[in-house]
Amino acid sequence: MKQSVPFLNLQGITQRHQTEISEAVQQVISSGWYLNGESLARFEAKFARYCGVQWCVGVSNGLDALTLVLTALKQLKGWSDDAEVILPAHTFIATALAVTRAGLRPVFCDVSEQNYLMHVSTIASCITPQTRALLPVHLYGQMCNMPEIMKLADEYGIDVVEDAAQAHGAKSQEQKAGAWGTAAAYSFYPGKNLGALGDAGAVVTRDAALAERVRALANYGATQKYHHEFVGCNCRMDEIQAAILSVKLDFLDADNEHRRELASLYAQHIHHPEIVLPYSGETDESVFHIYPIFCERREALQKHLERCGVSTLVHYPIPLHRQNAYKDLPACSCPVAERLADTELSLPISPILTKEEVLYVCEAVNSFRGKPCR
Ligand SMILES: *Cc1c(COP(=O)(O)O)cnc(C)c1O
């Protein structure tokens, strides 16, 4: 029987915690204190502990978190405007925009055929005397090979900033995303594994000076009210979002566990000669922000699934080096990223998707032959 499986049901995700969220929001409303208050401090301490680092600075969104880290590093380390930051060509545009906004140069590197992530063999060929940082992205919820990336960065004496916007709770060798590099940026965009009810983001780091600079930059460059040490911006997380995130953080591990169970159902039940399943790490488990599959006839598959009532999305259809916004950068070749952009299709996955729904999606996928399903 035909069912309808949405890509993501945010209303349903929020409804599970309706009571706790309403109470938390009501408390902020009654307090009369809406920015830079206790709710933010509480969330920051809680999220820093969760990530296994000393410092967390709550900010306005993920793009600002990345931009602030890079800007702070540029200032603290005295990087020039031709300093280069290496990032994968296969990621969301925000990763590159942050580099540009910080007044640094993005250098796109290709990704691994095995796990779609930036890896040392492609990074090495992009390193120049101007390279100051690597910006690995833990895409789809899967951690990059951080031990190898950190080793390479140490050899060259360059920094590592993790884009952990899709990897809340992901671990590599028992160490969370954000605890590997100099710092990491998180996004709490509503659809992420830990989502606010609006925009929010965070910077996590072990480096006290870096955290302090990020905090100052995000608050008009002030270290003390009306004393502006730096050319800052207004990139703060508000109290209401912080209070909501503190509530939702308690459910993150269980939500991620549910995502992993659904992912293993997909892996068990999808059998199709034209469809390639995502990499599944043997030791480093993904938190499956996205469940990507790969198919040469992607458009036909997507149409077929739509006819079966299954909503899908493409993450992402155009690699960064092919985006118009970056047409003026030196040409580069990233064949793996290009192939992923042409073949990737994201199946529904979420903390409230049921096993029955996943099995229905598997049936729909397996029935892909260009024929409508019954
Ligand atoms: C969502 C996302 C961002 C940006 O986060 P926003 O909060 O939307 O600004 C950055 N990088 C990646 C990989 C993302 O998925």
Short mmCIF file of all heavy atoms in Angstrom, two decimals, residues 275-308:
data_model
loop_
_atom_site.label_atom_id
_atom_site.label_comp_id
_atom_site.label_asym_id
_atom_site.label_seq_id
_atom_site.Cartn_x
_atom_site.Cartn_y
_atom_site.Cartn_z
N ILE A 275 22.35 0.60 -7.13
CA ILE A 275 22.46 1.50 -5.98
C ILE A 275 23.62 1.14 -5.06
O ILE A 275 23.77 -0.01 -4.66
CB ILE A 275 21.12 1.54 -5.21
CG1 ILE A 275 20.09 2.27 -6.08
CG2 ILE A 275 21.26 2.23 -3.86
CD1 ILE A 275 18.68 2.08 -5.65
N VAL A 276 24.43 2.16 -4.78
CA VAL A 276 25.57 1.98 -3.88
C VAL A 276 25.19 2.55 -2.52
O VAL A 276 24.69 3.68 -2.42
CB VAL A 276 26.82 2.69 -4.44
CG1 VAL A 276 27.98 2.59 -3.45
CG2 VAL A 276 27.21 2.10 -5.79
N LEU A 277 25.40 1.77 -1.48
CA LEU A 277 25.08 2.21 -0.12
C LEU A 277 26.23 3.02 0.46
O LEU A 277 27.36 2.92 -0.02
CB LEU A 277 24.82 0.98 0.77
CG LEU A 277 23.58 0.17 0.39
CD1 LEU A 277 23.50 -1.08 1.25
CD2 LEU A 277 22.32 1.01 0.54
N PRO A 278 25.94 3.82 1.49
CA PRO A 278 27.04 4.63 2.07
C PRO A 278 28.06 3.78 2.80
O PRO A 278 27.75 2.69 3.27
CB PRO A 278 26.32 5.57 3.03
CG PRO A 278 25.08 4.87 3.40
CD PRO A 278 24.68 4.08 2.19
N TYR A 279 29.24 4.36 2.90
CA TYR A 279 30.32 3.78 3.68
C TYR A 279 29.84 3.57 5.11
O TYR A 279 29.15 4.42 5.67
CB TYR A 279 31.48 4.78 3.67
CG TYR A 279 32.57 4.52 4.68
CD1 TYR A 279 33.54 3.58 4.42
CD2 TYR A 279 32.61 5.27 5.86
CE1 TYR A 279 34.56 3.37 5.35
CE2 TYR A 279 33.63 5.06 6.78
CZ TYR A 279 34.59 4.11 6.51
OH TYR A 279 35.59 3.90 7.42
N SER A 280 30.18 2.44 5.70
CA SER A 280 29.88 2.31 7.12
C SER A 280 31.18 2.02 7.85
O SER A 280 31.86 1.04 7.57
CB SER A 280 28.85 1.21 7.36
OG SER A 280 29.43 -0.05 7.28
N GLY A 281 31.53 2.94 8.73
CA GLY A 281 32.80 2.85 9.44
C GLY A 281 32.84 1.64 10.35
O GLY A 281 31.82 1.28 10.95
N GLU A 282 33.98 0.99 10.44
CA GLU A 282 34.06 -0.20 11.29
C GLU A 282 34.23 0.20 12.75
O GLU A 282 33.64 -0.38 13.64
CB GLU A 282 35.23 -1.09 10.86
CG GLU A 282 34.89 -1.97 9.67
CD GLU A 282 35.67 -1.60 8.42
OE1 GLU A 282 36.89 -1.52 8.51
OE2 GLU A 282 35.03 -1.39 7.37
N THR A 283 35.03 1.23 12.98
CA THR A 283 35.27 1.62 14.36
C THR A 283 34.60 2.96 14.67
O THR A 283 34.00 3.11 15.73
CB THR A 283 36.78 1.74 14.64
OG1 THR A 283 37.34 2.57 13.62
CG2 THR A 283 37.45 0.40 14.65
N ASP A 284 34.67 3.89 13.74
CA ASP A 284 34.10 5.22 13.98
C ASP A 284 32.68 5.25 13.46
O ASP A 284 32.45 5.27 12.26
CB ASP A 284 34.93 6.29 13.27
CG ASP A 284 36.38 6.24 13.72
OD1 ASP A 284 36.63 5.64 14.78
OD2 ASP A 284 37.22 6.80 13.03
N GLU A 285 31.74 5.28 14.39
CA GLU A 285 30.34 5.23 13.96
C GLU A 285 29.81 6.59 13.55
O GLU A 285 30.05 7.59 14.22
CB GLU A 285 29.50 4.69 15.11
CG GLU A 285 29.61 3.19 15.26
CD GLU A 285 28.55 2.67 16.20
OE1 GLU A 285 28.25 3.36 17.19
OE2 GLU A 285 28.04 1.58 15.93
N SER A 286 29.06 6.59 12.46
CA SER A 286 28.42 7.82 12.00
C SER A 286 27.20 8.13 12.86
O SER A 286 26.61 7.23 13.45
CB SER A 286 27.98 7.63 10.55
OG SER A 286 27.23 8.75 10.12
N VAL A 287 26.82 9.41 12.93
CA VAL A 287 25.56 9.77 13.59
C VAL A 287 24.48 10.03 12.54
O VAL A 287 23.41 10.54 12.86
CB VAL A 287 25.70 10.96 14.56
CG1 VAL A 287 26.54 10.57 15.76
CG2 VAL A 287 26.29 12.19 13.87
N PHE A 288 24.77 9.67 11.30
CA PHE A 288 23.79 9.70 10.20
C PHE A 288 22.88 10.93 10.19
O PHE A 288 21.66 10.81 10.23
CB PHE A 288 22.95 8.41 10.20
CG PHE A 288 23.76 7.23 9.74
CD1 PHE A 288 24.27 6.33 10.67
CD2 PHE A 288 24.04 7.04 8.40
CE1 PHE A 288 25.05 5.25 10.25
CE2 PHE A 288 24.82 5.97 7.97
CZ PHE A 288 25.32 5.07 8.89
N HIS A 289 23.50 12.09 10.11
CA HIS A 289 22.70 13.30 9.87
C HIS A 289 21.94 13.10 8.55
O HIS A 289 20.78 13.50 8.42
CB HIS A 289 23.61 14.52 9.78
CG HIS A 289 22.89 15.76 9.35
ND1 HIS A 289 21.82 16.27 10.07
CD2 HIS A 289 23.03 16.57 8.28
CE1 HIS A 289 21.36 17.35 9.45
NE2 HIS A 289 22.08 17.55 8.36
N ILE A 290 22.61 12.47 7.60
CA ILE A 290 22.04 12.18 6.28
C ILE A 290 22.28 10.70 6.01
O ILE A 290 23.30 10.16 6.42
CB ILE A 290 22.81 13.01 5.21
CG1 ILE A 290 22.63 14.52 5.41
CG2 ILE A 290 22.45 12.59 3.79
CD1 ILE A 290 21.28 15.04 5.07
N TYR A 291 21.33 10.05 5.31
CA TYR A 291 21.62 8.70 4.82
C TYR A 291 21.75 8.77 3.30
O TYR A 291 20.74 8.80 2.58
CB TYR A 291 20.53 7.70 5.22
CG TYR A 291 20.98 6.28 4.91
CD1 TYR A 291 21.75 5.56 5.82
CD2 TYR A 291 20.71 5.68 3.68
CE1 TYR A 291 22.22 4.29 5.53
CE2 TYR A 291 21.17 4.40 3.37
CZ TYR A 291 21.93 3.72 4.30
OH TYR A 291 22.40 2.47 4.02
N PRO A 292 23.00 8.85 2.80
CA PRO A 292 23.19 9.03 1.36
C PRO A 292 23.27 7.69 0.62
O PRO A 292 23.93 6.77 1.10
CB PRO A 292 24.54 9.75 1.29
CG PRO A 292 25.30 9.22 2.47
CD PRO A 292 24.29 8.83 3.52
N ILE A 293 22.60 7.60 -0.52
CA ILE A 293 22.84 6.47 -1.42
C ILE A 293 23.30 7.05 -2.75
O ILE A 293 23.16 8.26 -2.99
CB ILE A 293 21.59 5.56 -1.61
CG1 ILE A 293 20.42 6.33 -2.22
CG2 ILE A 293 21.20 4.91 -0.29
CD1 ILE A 293 19.23 5.44 -2.60
N PHE A 294 23.85 6.21 -3.62
CA PHE A 294 24.45 6.71 -4.86
C PHE A 294 23.93 5.91 -6.05
O PHE A 294 23.91 4.67 -5.99
CB PHE A 294 25.97 6.65 -4.76
CG PHE A 294 26.47 7.42 -3.56
CD1 PHE A 294 26.59 6.79 -2.32
CD2 PHE A 294 26.73 8.77 -3.66
CE1 PHE A 294 26.99 7.50 -1.20
CE2 PHE A 294 27.13 9.50 -2.54
CZ PHE A 294 27.27 8.86 -1.31
N CYS A 295 23.50 6.62 -7.09
CA CYS A 295 22.89 5.95 -8.24
C CYS A 295 23.15 6.78 -9.49
O CYS A 295 22.93 7.99 -9.49
CB CYS A 295 21.39 5.81 -7.99
SG CYS A 295 20.48 5.04 -9.34
N GLU A 296 23.63 6.12 -10.55
CA GLU A 296 23.91 6.83 -11.81
C GLU A 296 22.64 7.46 -12.37
O GLU A 296 22.68 8.54 -12.94
CB GLU A 296 24.49 5.86 -12.86
CG GLU A 296 25.84 5.25 -12.49
CD GLU A 296 26.98 6.26 -12.53
OE1 GLU A 296 26.85 7.29 -13.23
OE2 GLU A 296 27.99 6.02 -11.84
N ARG A 297 21.50 6.77 -12.24
CA ARG A 297 20.23 7.32 -12.73
C ARG A 297 19.49 7.98 -11.57
O ARG A 297 18.34 7.65 -11.28
CB ARG A 297 19.40 6.20 -13.37
CG ARG A 297 20.00 5.64 -14.67
CD ARG A 297 18.98 4.86 -15.46
NE ARG A 297 18.54 3.66 -14.75
CZ ARG A 297 17.25 3.31 -14.63
NH1 ARG A 297 16.29 4.05 -15.16
NH2 ARG A 297 16.93 2.21 -13.96
N ARG A 298 20.17 8.92 -10.93
CA ARG A 298 19.63 9.53 -9.73
C ARG A 298 18.28 10.21 -9.95
O ARG A 298 17.37 10.05 -9.15
CB ARG A 298 20.63 10.54 -9.16
CG ARG A 298 20.22 11.05 -7.81
CD ARG A 298 20.34 12.54 -7.53
NE ARG A 298 20.89 13.43 -8.46
CZ ARG A 298 22.01 14.16 -8.25
NH1 ARG A 298 22.70 14.00 -7.16
NH2 ARG A 298 22.40 15.02 -9.16
N GLU A 299 18.15 10.98 -11.04
CA GLU A 299 16.91 11.73 -11.25
C GLU A 299 15.72 10.78 -11.41
O GLU A 299 14.65 11.00 -10.85
CB GLU A 299 17.01 12.67 -12.47
CG GLU A 299 17.56 14.05 -12.12
CD GLU A 299 19.03 14.02 -11.71
OE1 GLU A 299 19.80 13.23 -12.32
OE2 GLU A 299 19.42 14.75 -10.78
N ALA A 300 15.94 9.69 -12.16
CA ALA A 300 14.87 8.70 -12.36
C ALA A 300 14.51 8.04 -11.03
O ALA A 300 13.33 7.84 -10.72
CB ALA A 300 15.30 7.66 -13.38
N LEU A 301 15.52 7.73 -10.23
CA LEU A 301 15.28 7.11 -8.92
C LEU A 301 14.48 8.05 -8.01
O LEU A 301 13.52 7.65 -7.35
CB LEU A 301 16.61 6.73 -8.26
CG LEU A 301 16.53 6.20 -6.83
CD1 LEU A 301 15.69 4.92 -6.75
CD2 LEU A 301 17.94 5.94 -6.27
N GLN A 302 14.87 9.33 -8.02
CA GLN A 302 14.17 10.30 -7.17
C GLN A 302 12.70 10.42 -7.58
O GLN A 302 11.81 10.47 -6.73
CB GLN A 302 14.87 11.66 -7.26
CG GLN A 302 14.29 12.69 -6.29
CD GLN A 302 15.15 13.94 -6.16
OE1 GLN A 302 15.80 14.36 -7.12
NE2 GLN A 302 15.15 14.54 -4.98
N LYS A 303 12.46 10.43 -8.91
CA LYS A 303 11.07 10.51 -9.41
C LYS A 303 10.29 9.28 -9.00
O LYS A 303 9.14 9.37 -8.58
CB LYS A 303 11.06 10.64 -10.94
CG LYS A 303 11.32 12.04 -11.43
CD LYS A 303 10.60 12.28 -12.77
CE LYS A 303 10.97 13.65 -13.34
NZ LYS A 303 12.26 13.61 -14.08
N HIS A 304 10.93 8.13 -9.13
CA HIS A 304 10.29 6.87 -8.76
C HIS A 304 9.88 6.91 -7.27
O HIS A 304 8.76 6.56 -6.91
CB HIS A 304 11.24 5.70 -9.04
CG HIS A 304 10.82 4.42 -8.40
ND1 HIS A 304 9.82 3.62 -8.92
CD2 HIS A 304 11.25 3.80 -7.26
CE1 HIS A 304 9.66 2.57 -8.12
NE2 HIS A 304 10.51 2.65 -7.12
N LEU A 305 10.81 7.35 -6.41
CA LEU A 305 10.53 7.39 -4.98
C LEU A 305 9.42 8.40 -4.67
O LEU A 305 8.57 8.15 -3.83
CB LEU A 305 11.80 7.71 -4.19
CG LEU A 305 12.86 6.60 -4.22
CD1 LEU A 305 14.15 7.05 -3.53
CD2 LEU A 305 12.33 5.32 -3.57
N GLU A 306 9.42 9.51 -5.38
CA GLU A 306 8.38 10.52 -5.18
C GLU A 306 7.01 9.91 -5.51
O GLU A 306 6.04 10.11 -4.77
CB GLU A 306 8.67 11.74 -6.09
CG GLU A 306 7.92 13.00 -5.71
CD GLU A 306 8.19 13.45 -4.27
OE1 GLU A 306 9.36 13.67 -3.93
OE2 GLU A 306 7.21 13.58 -3.49
N ARG A 307 6.97 9.12 -6.60
CA ARG A 307 5.71 8.46 -6.97
C ARG A 307 5.27 7.46 -5.90
O ARG A 307 4.10 7.22 -5.70
CB ARG A 307 5.86 7.73 -8.32
CG ARG A 307 5.68 8.63 -9.53
CD ARG A 307 5.44 7.80 -10.79
NE ARG A 307 6.57 6.93 -11.07
CZ ARG A 307 7.63 7.28 -11.83
NH1 ARG A 307 7.68 8.47 -12.39
NH2 ARG A 307 8.61 6.43 -12.03
N CYS A 308 6.25 6.90 -5.21
CA CYS A 308 5.94 5.96 -4.12
C CYS A 308 5.62 6.69 -2.82
O CYS A 308 5.39 6.07 -1.79
CB CYS A 308 7.12 5.02 -3.87
SG CYS A 308 7.51 3.96 -5.26
#
